[in-house]
Amino acid sequence: IGRTVHVYPEIDSTNSAAFSLGHSGAEEGTVVIADSQSQGRGRLRRPWQSPPGRNLYTSILLKPPIEPAVAPQLTLLAGVAVADLLSTYCPGSIRLKWPNDVQIEGKKVCGILTEMRTSGHGIDYVVVGIGINVNIRKDDFDESFRNLATSLRDETGGRMLSRLDLAVGLYEHVERRYARYLAEGFGPLRESWLQYARIVGEPIEVIFRDELQAGEVIGLEESGALLLRDDDGREARVLAGDATVKKK
Ligand code: BTN
């Protein structure tokens, strides 16, 4: 990963750029990185604030030999790789929140957006977009996010961190996890994801398009769906939405 790197001072979205590169046949592992994004995208069509000089916005082009139905595994893979990386900065306090947030002390430090192109043959390519709040300060966030988001700098004593070091570390960790995923499948990844998420046994609520699902988490499916058991003992799978852990 990162044999070919496209660097931009500003771009609409690194995911869009990587998607176009995929379309024109760029090799697997090609990455796009930008100092700022004018149209940074989040999950569920939300915008992703992307000011210059502060954070990491990068997208990785992958061509995994997997079925489209299990592509959400790549989001989980990226989450685990980011957690591996950030654990070297904040040992023990990195937590994954299903499906794709990386948190420190309950606040979001990284978001992941996976998009793919499929054809009759299955997956053509996948773009894994990763945004990490690196040096942005609490007060720079829009007010509505201030209590929900944090940055690596704010969590590590306030010193400016090298975005280059982080980017290199990120590509190394994604490469390591991806190689193991291709060789051994989803199993080891699921274990690591569940360890970082510490969510099994927790009561949660998930809201998606005004529908609420509630229950105790019992596991993580191959598809990347969260498996719940509701109050009546029925099992339910949650494929998308915003999850909140309920206090017992
Ligand atoms: C989310 O948590 O909603 C996902 C946020 C993903 C943001 C990253 S920043 C790099 C890449 N380019 C984008 O436009 N989005 C992703």
Side-chain angles (χ1 to χ4, degrees):
I1 287 171
R3 274 205 303 186
T4 306
V5 183
H6 296 256
V7 186
Y8 297 91
E10 183 184 307
I11 197 162
D12 51 353
S13 154
T14 57
N15 262 35
S16 305
F19 217 81
S20 312
L21 285 163
H23 190 68
S24 38
E27 66 170 345
E28 179 169 59
T30 297
V31 306
V32 177
I33 184 165
D35 185 47
S36 68
Q37 299 181 118
S38 55
Q39 309 277 336
R41 293 201 295 271
R43 214 163 51 90
L44 308 177
R45 296 171 172 271
R46 293 174 187 143
W48 184 257
Q49 282 183 48
S50 309
R54 287 274 174 262
N55 300 326
L56 202 64
Y57 317 110
T58 188
S59 300
I60 304 171
L61 181 69
L62 296 175
K63 302 184 178 180
I66 60 173
E67 293 300 319
V70 297
Q73 291 177 352
L74 295 170
T75 302
L76 302 170
L77 186 151
V80 168
V82 171
D84 291 340
L85 169 69
L86 299 190
S87 294
T88 62
Y89 291 79
C90 302
S93 52
I94 304 300
R95 189 163 179 174
L96 290 172
K97 177 172 179 284
W98 183 87
N100 68 340
D101 292 357
V102 186
Q103 298 186 328
I104 306 179
E105 309 294 345
K107 293 183 177 184
K108 181 159 172 170
V109 69
C110 166
I112 297 162
L113 179 68
T114 305
E115 299 175 303
M116 65 174 159
R117 176 165 180 112
T118 56
S119 68
H121 317 288
I123 293 181
D124 284 344
Y125 53 87
V126 178
V127 169
V128 181
I130 300 168
I132 303 180
N133 299 331
V134 184
N135 289 319
I136 190 167
R137 307 308 302 259
K138 220 180 175 36
D139 292 344
D140 301 333
F141 286 113
D142 280 358
E143 205 146 344
S144 51
F145 294 121
R146 221 163 272 173
N147 295 318
L148 304 173
T150 189
S151 72
L152 206 50
R153 177 181 181 187
D154 275 342
E155 298 297 331
T156 52
R159 264 190 321 118
M160 285 278 273
L161 299 166
S162 158
R163 287 182 292 165
L164 183 60
D165 287 351
L166 269 159
V168 171
L170 176 66
Y171 303 141
E172 283 172 356
H173 281 289
V174 172
E175 179 156 306
R176 194 170 307 154
R177 287 285 179 177
Y178 187 58
R180 183 153 185 218
Y181 171 69
L182 294 182
E184 296 175 41
F186 185 53
L189 201 57
R190 183 199 330 240
E191 287 310 306
S192 303
W193 191 89
L194 289 169
Q195 276 168 19
Y196 279 125
R198 303 196 286 274
I199 199 180
V200 172
E202 299 286 337
I204 69 157
E205 281 183 4
V206 183
I207 298 180
F208 183 57
R209 296 195 179 131
D210 296 333
E211 294 270 342
L212 178 90
Q213 279 181 287
E216 184 186 306
V217 178
I218 52 179
L220 182 71
E221 279 199 330
E222 291 281 311
S223 62
L226 209 53
L227 208 54
L228 307 185
R229 183 175 294 118
D230 69 16
D231 290 346
D232 303 327
R234 277 190 302 254
E235 287 188 10
R237 326 162 48 225
V238 188
L239 290 163
D242 287 312
T244 322
V245 173
K246 296 279 116 190
K247 298 237 160 54
K248 282 190 203 165

